[in-house]
Amino acid sequence: MDLTRSRRLYAEARRFLVEGVNSPVRSFKAVGGEPLVMKRGRRAKLFDADGHAFTDYCLSWGALILGHAHPRIMAEIKAQLKEGTSFGTTTAAETELARFIVKNVPSVSKVRFVNSGTEAAMSAIRLARGYTRRNKIVKFDGCYHGHFDDLLVKAGSGVSSLKASSSLGITKNHIRETITLPYNDTPALVETLEKNRRDVSCVIIEPVAGNMGVVVPDMEFLKVLRKITKKYRIVLIFDEVMTGFRASAGCVQSEFGVEPDLTCFGKIIGGGFPIGAYGGEGGIMRYLAPSGGVYQAGTFAGNPVVMRAGWATLDTLKGGMYRKLNALCARFAEDMNAFFVKNDIPVHLDTFHSMMSVRFSRAGVTNYREVLASSDRAQYGRLFQFLLNSGIYWPPAELETFFVSAVHTVKELDAMAKALKTHVQTKGGGE
Ligand code: PMP
């Protein structure tokens, strides 16, 4: 591959940006080699500065469920650009996106828009603390909720590559009130919440984890979590920044029939623009300023360009599109896992509909300890580079999730299946 332009642009980027990136995982440190500089995207394809095409399974970290430059979203944005870009006032566009969310997500009757998933989780926690007037928070090992200080303990995603599984620069005071527990461990959850019931404001969880690769929860664990948090008036926060509107319009909570008190959204609801949101029942949302005493604000919150891109995305996705995408992904994953078993290759895909991740073990995993036990960074690096050379762009880190969009074709998925099979057979699979 001739990467002359990409190399030159990346060298230039390194002069002015830390390691040439604005978010750590983009640096390819987890997979080796230099990041490609991307220039353009169209449907499922991403094109680098030298003009190479890649079928994109990173999809802006799960934000682009309709692929790149979807015509309906483009038209919506163009229409808004003619009217102006940012007003800092109420607009009809934000009401429409909020209406869509409220109509489809049963636990949400009021929404607040922010600019990132980090902000959504951070603000939901502040609201939970203000509402309960308690301080402690409970999270789960390997879950990532953005880079908010109080949550950067044993977090997944890029944080998992740091030595202490946490960040420098975070004071003890910030994490003193944070309890982190193993995912799917019901006894540990019950014991901790019973012991700390007067102090715990909220439990925050990815209802399907995607930041330690995909980990699907045990239903009994989720049901106990809902029951015990209700019993002790602890706010249950579902972080659906990654899962929200990915597999159905009702989100994971509808599919599982477990309703949280607050939900965080991001990624997909912004139609490819920066966004976050959180919402819940009126009773708790009323604690937010200006009606209540929990302060949270934003210059660009509810930006009309973002709102219209988000609304066009969700409106396009209705019904049949989810069914088709989920079925395509189920077929792909079943085929791959059957292949690994049949050929006795210690590789497994953990999946939740169009969210998938690869494990270097014979079976799926249920918590962060098992995730780390099955992890093989060097092997993932080789797989990543092989796929890249085959024109397939995966997330450049093992513990990230890869995504399929609603515009990926059967042909593109077949090409990925073929590349994966070739690699694990010729390069030794989970050696
Ligand atoms: N929560 C979850 C579940 C996420 O996956 C992410 C980002 N990957 C975040 C929060 C943070 O979102 P953002 O990067 O938009 O701040």
Side-chain angles (χ1 to χ4, degrees):
M1 248 196 287
D2 177 11
L3 298 174
T4 314
R5 281 204 205 106
S6 206
R7 295 276 179 268
R8 198 183 61 232
L9 288 168
Y10 187 60
E12 203 58 15
R14 288 183 73 136
R15 291 180 59 202
F16 304 107
L17 301 167
V18 178
E19 297 275 350
V21 293
N22 280 306
S23 195
V25 188
R26 296 179 196 175
S27 68
F28 276 34
K29 281 211 178 312
V31 288
E34 253 186 30
L36 298 179
V37 176
M38 297 299 178
K39 184 160 182 227
R40 176 167 87 76
R42 185 111 208 134
R43 298 183 67 82
K45 296 279 191 272
L46 198 51
F47 298 85
D48 72 4
D50 294 281
H52 305 112
F54 301 90
T55 310
D56 186 8
Y57 293 94
C58 186
L59 292 163
S60 200
W61 304 94
L64 303 179
I65 193 166
L66 293 177
H68 297 273
H70 190 280
R72 175 133 186 245
I73 303 177
M74 293 297 118
E76 200 70 31
I77 298 164
K78 277 185 198 146
Q80 181 57 44
L81 290 181
K82 282 197 198 129
E83 315 267 325
T85 56
S86 180
F87 309 133
T89 67
T90 295
T91 61
E94 57 197 339
T95 308
E96 287 318 307
L97 186 55
R99 190 200 309 276
F100 195 104
I101 295 171
V102 168
K103 256 173 114 174
N104 286 284
V105 186
S107 69
V108 176
S109 61
K110 280 261 178 4
V111 180
R112 170 67 58 91
F113 288 111
V114 290
N115 299 302
S116 67
T118 296
E119 246 190 286
M122 174 182 97
S123 312
I125 282 171
R126 183 181 303 150
L127 176 57
R129 281 173 162 161
Y131 176 71
T132 57
R133 293 188 160 74
R134 301 173 188 161
N135 292 334
K136 283 197 190 326
I137 58 180
V138 172
K139 72 173 285 292
F140 295 93
D141 304 347
C143 285
Y144 176 71
H145 307 287
H147 64 84
F148 172 44
D149 292 22
D150 298 28
L151 290 167
L152 280 184
V153 192
K154 288 202 187 170
S157 191
V159 192
S160 59
S161 66
L162 298 177
K163 259 199 205 113
S165 201
S166 187
S167 166
L168 288 177
I170 290 174
T171 62
K172 285 210 174 63
N173 281 347
H174 270 291
I175 51 175
R176 205 181 42 209
E177 310 279 20
T178 303
I179 301 171
T180 177
L181 297 175
Y183 202 82
N184 274 331
D185 186 337
T186 309
L189 172 74
V190 171
E191 192 194 320
T192 304
L193 291 191
E194 277 177 353
K195 200 166 127 203
N196 295 279
R197 61 183 180 272
R198 283 185 201 87
D199 304 317
V200 174
S201 62
C202 63
V203 177
I204 185 165
I205 187 167
E206 290 182 75
V208 170
N211 284 289
M212 48 176 156
V214 177
V215 179
V216 179
D218 174 59
M219 279 314 126
E220 198 46 41
F221 167 75
L222 266 197
K223 290 210 168 104
V224 171
L225 171 60
R226 176 61 284 186
K227 213 167 144 195
I228 192 166
T229 45
K230 207 164 244 167
K231 181 172 168 198
Y232 295 133
R233 220 180 135 257
I234 294 167
V235 176
L236 177 58
I237 306 173
F238 273 9
D239 181 347
E240 295 224 40
V241 167
M242 188 184 285
T243 56
F245 298 94
R246 169 142 290 279
S248 66
C251 306
V252 165
Q253 53 196 270
S254 299
E255 186 170 335
F256 291 171
V258 179
E259 286 188 16
D261 301 302
L262 289 176
T263 306
C264 302
F265 302 97
K267 300 193 192 265
I268 287 173
I269 66 160
F273 284 87
I275 199 164
Y278 57 109
E281 276 308 322
I284 181 164
M285 292 300 281
R286 218 183 37 230
Y287 276 71
L288 271 185
S291 53
V294 176
Y295 194 72
Q296 185 275 307
T299 299
F300 291 111
N303 174 280
V305 182
V306 184
M307 296 292 116
R308 285 182 73 166
W311 178 83
T313 303
L314 299 188
D315 193 59
T316 304
L317 276 168
K318 281 190 254 178
M321 219 170 203
Y322 281 120
R323 268 197 302 280
K324 204 171 138 221
L325 171 62
N326 295 345
L328 192 68
C329 292
R331 207 201 64 169
F332 170 81
E334 276 163 28
D335 172 46
M336 288 310 307
N337 282 332
F339 173 86
F340 297 138
V341 170
K342 187 165 160 243
N343 292 281
D344 196 27
I345 295 166
V347 176
H348 180 85
L349 289 183
D350 269 329
T351 68
F352 179 72
H353 302 297
S354 56
M355 290 167 55
M356 307 193 191
S357 58
V358 68
R359 308 289 180 198
F360 299 104
S361 57
R362 284 176 207 283
V365 296
T366 63
N367 60 37
Y368 195 43
R369 191 176 47 75
E370 290 174 12
V371 166
L372 296 179
S374 79
S375 148
D376 184 338
R377 210 177 139 120
Q379 170 79 355
Y380 185 82
R382 286 195 295 277
L383 173 59
F384 173 85
Q385 298 293 351
F386 178 83
L387 293 176
L388 198 65
N389 281 309
S390 313
I392 293 166
Y393 190 79
W394 267 24
E398 183 190 358
L399 300 190
E400 302 293 342
T401 290
F402 71 88
F403 304 90
V404 183
S405 83
V407 300
H408 277 73
T409 60
V410 173
K411 207 170 140 205
E412 283 164 332
L413 277 169
D414 285 349
M416 176 158 72
K418 194 168 160 219
L420 275 170
K421 287 175 185 176
T422 307
H423 177 77
V424 296
Q425 277 187 320
T426 54
K427 307 280 158 93
E431 65 201 2

